[in-house]
Coordinates of all heavy atoms in Angstrom, one line a residue:
D16 N -2.2 21.0 -9.5 CA -2.5 21.9 -10.6 C -1.4 22.9 -10.8 O -0.4 22.9 -10.1 CB -3.9 22.5 -10.5 CG -4.0 23.4 -9.3 OD1 -3.0 23.9 -8.7 OD2 -5.2 23.7 -8.9
Q17 N -1.6 23.9 -11.7 CA -0.6 24.9 -12.0 C -0.3 25.8 -10.8 O 0.8 26.3 -10.7 CB -1.0 25.7 -13.2 CG 0.2 26.6 -13.7 CD -0.2 27.3 -15.0 OE1 -1.3 27.3 -15.4 NE2 0.8 27.9 -15.6
M18 N -1.2 25.9 -9.9 CA -1.0 26.7 -8.7 C -0.4 25.9 -7.5 O -0.2 26.4 -6.4 CB -2.4 27.3 -8.2 CG -3.0 28.2 -9.2 SD -4.6 28.8 -8.7 CE -5.6 27.3 -8.7
G19 N 0.0 24.6 -7.8 CA 0.6 23.8 -6.7 C -0.3 23.2 -5.7 O 0.1 22.7 -4.7
V20 N -1.7 23.2 -6.0 CA -2.7 22.7 -5.1 C -3.0 21.2 -5.6 O -3.2 21.0 -6.8 CB -3.9 23.6 -5.1 CG1 -5.0 22.9 -4.3 CG2 -3.6 24.9 -4.6
V21 N -3.1 20.3 -4.7 CA -3.4 18.9 -5.0 C -4.8 18.8 -5.7 O -5.8 19.4 -5.2 CB -3.4 18.0 -3.8 CG1 -3.9 16.6 -4.1 CG2 -1.9 17.9 -3.3
Y22 N -4.9 18.1 -6.8 CA -6.1 17.9 -7.5 C -7.0 17.0 -6.6 O -6.6 16.1 -6.0 CB -5.8 17.1 -8.8 CG -7.0 16.6 -9.5 CD1 -7.9 17.5 -10.2 CD2 -7.3 15.3 -9.6 CE1 -9.0 17.1 -10.8 CE2 -8.4 14.8 -10.3 CZ -9.3 15.7 -10.9 OH -10.4 15.3 -11.5
H23 N -8.3 17.4 -6.5 CA -9.2 16.7 -5.6 C -9.3 15.2 -5.7 O -9.5 14.5 -4.7 CB -10.6 17.3 -5.7 CG -11.4 17.0 -6.9 ND1 -11.2 17.7 -8.1 CD2 -12.3 16.0 -7.1 CE1 -12.0 17.1 -9.0 NE2 -12.7 16.1 -8.4
G24 N -9.1 14.6 -6.9 CA -9.2 13.2 -7.1 C -8.1 12.4 -6.4 O -8.3 11.2 -6.1
N25 N -7.0 13.1 -6.1 CA -5.9 12.4 -5.5 C -6.1 12.1 -4.0 O -5.4 11.2 -3.5 CB -4.6 13.3 -5.7 CG -4.1 13.2 -7.1 OD1 -4.0 12.1 -7.7 ND2 -3.8 14.4 -7.6
Y26 N -7.1 12.7 -3.4 CA -7.3 12.4 -2.0 C -7.8 11.0 -1.9 O -7.5 10.3 -0.9 CB -8.4 13.4 -1.4 CG -7.8 14.8 -1.2 CD1 -7.6 15.7 -2.3 CD2 -7.5 15.3 0.0 CE1 -7.1 16.9 -2.1 CE2 -7.0 16.5 0.2 CZ -6.8 17.4 -0.9 OH -6.3 18.6 -0.7
A27 N -8.6 10.5 -2.8 CA -9.0 9.1 -2.8 C -7.8 8.2 -2.9 O -7.8 7.1 -2.3 CB -10.0 8.8 -4.0
V28 N -6.8 8.6 -3.7 CA -5.6 7.7 -3.8 C -4.8 7.8 -2.4 O -4.3 6.7 -2.0 CB -4.7 8.3 -4.9 CG1 -3.3 7.5 -4.9 CG2 -5.4 8.2 -6.2
Y29 N -4.8 8.9 -1.8 CA -4.1 9.0 -0.4 C -4.9 8.1 0.6 O -4.2 7.4 1.4 CB -4.1 10.4 0.1 CG -3.4 11.4 -0.8 CD1 -3.7 12.7 -0.8 CD2 -2.3 11.0 -1.6 CE1 -3.0 13.6 -1.6 CE2 -1.6 11.9 -2.4 CZ -2.0 13.2 -2.4 OH -1.3 14.1 -3.2
F30 N -6.2 8.0 0.5 CA -7.0 7.1 1.4 C -6.6 5.7 1.0 O -6.5 4.9 2.0 CB -8.4 7.4 1.2 CG -8.9 8.7 1.8 CD1 -10.2 9.1 1.5 CD2 -8.1 9.6 2.5 CE1 -10.7 10.4 2.0 CE2 -8.5 10.8 3.0 CZ -9.8 11.2 2.8
E31 N -6.5 5.4 -0.2 CA -6.1 4.0 -0.6 C -4.8 3.6 0.0 O -4.6 2.5 0.5 CB -6.1 3.8 -2.1 CG -5.7 2.4 -2.6 CD -5.6 2.3 -4.1 OE1 -5.4 3.3 -4.8 OE2 -5.6 1.1 -4.5
V32 N -3.8 4.5 -0.1 CA -2.5 4.2 0.5 C -2.7 4.0 2.0 O -2.1 3.0 2.5 CB -1.5 5.4 0.3 CG1 -0.2 5.2 1.1 CG2 -1.2 5.6 -1.2
G33 N -3.5 4.7 2.7 CA -3.7 4.5 4.1 C -4.3 3.2 4.4 O -3.8 2.5 5.3
R34 N -5.3 2.7 3.7 CA -5.9 1.4 4.0 C -5.0 0.3 3.6 O -5.0 -0.8 4.2 CB -7.3 1.3 3.5 CG -7.5 1.1 2.0 CD -9.0 0.9 1.7 NE -9.2 1.1 0.3 CZ -9.4 2.2 -0.4 NH1 -9.6 3.3 0.3 NH2 -9.5 2.2 -1.7
T35 N -4.2 0.5 2.5 CA -3.3 -0.6 2.1 C -2.2 -0.8 3.2 O -1.9 -1.9 3.6 CB -2.5 -0.2 0.8 OG1 -3.5 -0.1 -0.2 CG2 -1.5 -1.2 0.4
E36 N -1.8 0.3 3.8 CA -0.8 0.2 4.9 C -1.5 -0.3 6.2 O -0.8 -1.0 7.0 CB -0.1 1.6 5.2 CG 0.8 2.0 4.0 CD 1.8 1.0 3.6 OE1 2.5 0.4 4.5 OE2 2.0 0.8 2.4
W37 N -2.7 0.0 6.4 CA -3.5 -0.5 7.5 C -3.5 -2.1 7.4 O -3.2 -2.8 8.4 CB -4.9 0.0 7.5 CG -5.7 -0.4 8.7 CD1 -5.8 0.2 9.9 CD2 -6.5 -1.6 8.8 NE1 -6.7 -0.6 10.7 CE2 -7.1 -1.7 10.0 CE3 -6.8 -2.6 7.9 CZ2 -7.9 -2.7 10.4 CZ3 -7.6 -3.7 8.3 CH2 -8.2 -3.7 9.5
L38 N -3.8 -2.6 6.2 CA -3.8 -4.0 6.0 C -2.4 -4.6 6.3 O -2.3 -5.7 6.9 CB -4.2 -4.4 4.6 CG -5.7 -4.2 4.3 CD1 -6.0 -4.3 2.8 CD2 -6.5 -5.3 5.0
R39 N -1.4 -3.9 5.8 CA 0.0 -4.5 6.0 C 0.3 -4.6 7.5 O 1.1 -5.5 7.9 CB 1.0 -3.5 5.4 CG 1.1 -3.6 3.9 CD 2.2 -2.7 3.3 NE 2.0 -2.3 2.0 CZ 2.1 -3.0 0.9 NH1 2.4 -4.3 1.0 NH2 1.8 -2.5 -0.3
E40 N -0.2 -3.7 8.3 CA 0.0 -3.9 9.8 C -0.5 -5.2 10.3 O 0.0 -5.7 11.3 CB -0.7 -2.7 10.5 CG 0.0 -1.4 10.3 CD 0.5 -0.7 11.5 OE1 0.2 -1.1 12.6 OE2 1.1 0.3 11.3
F41 N -1.4 -5.8 9.6 CA -2.0 -7.1 10.0 C -1.3 -8.2 9.2 O -1.8 -9.3 9.2 CB -3.5 -7.1 9.9 CG -4.2 -6.3 10.9 CD1 -4.5 -5.0 10.7 CD2 -4.4 -6.8 12.2 CE1 -5.1 -4.2 11.7 CE2 -5.0 -6.0 13.2 CZ -5.4 -4.7 12.9
G42 N -0.3 -7.9 8.4 CA 0.4 -8.9 7.6 C -0.4 -9.3 6.4 O -0.3 -10.4 5.9
L43 N -1.3 -8.4 6.0 CA -2.2 -8.7 4.8 C -1.9 -7.8 3.7 O -1.3 -6.7 3.9 CB -3.7 -8.6 5.2 CG -4.1 -9.4 6.4 CD1 -5.5 -9.0 6.8 CD2 -4.1 -10.9 6.0
S44 N -2.3 -8.2 2.5 CA -2.2 -7.3 1.3 C -3.3 -7.6 0.4 O -3.9 -8.7 0.4 CB -0.8 -7.5 0.6 OG -0.8 -8.8 0.0
Y45 N -3.6 -6.7 -0.5 CA -4.7 -7.0 -1.5 C -4.3 -8.1 -2.4 O -5.1 -9.0 -2.7 CB -4.8 -5.7 -2.4 CG -5.7 -4.6 -1.8 CD1 -5.2 -3.3 -1.9 CD2 -6.9 -4.9 -1.3 CE1 -6.0 -2.3 -1.3 CE2 -7.7 -3.9 -0.7 CZ -7.2 -2.6 -0.8 OH -7.9 -1.5 -0.3
S46 N -3.0 -8.2 -2.8 CA -2.6 -9.3 -3.7 C -2.7 -10.7 -2.9 O -3.1 -11.7 -3.5 CB -1.1 -9.1 -4.1 OG -0.2 -9.0 -3.1

Side-chain angles (χ1 to χ4, degrees):
D16 61 19
Q17 191 173 10
M18 297 177 294
V20 175
V21 170
Y22 173 69
H23 72 275
N25 287 313
Y26 290 74
V28 175
Y29 299 153
F30 292 171
E31 179 185 18
V32 170
R34 72 177 169 269
T35 299
E36 294 306 315
W37 182 92
L38 284 168
R39 284 186 208 284
E40 291 237 351
F41 289 95
L43 302 170
S44 68
Y45 282 131
S46 60

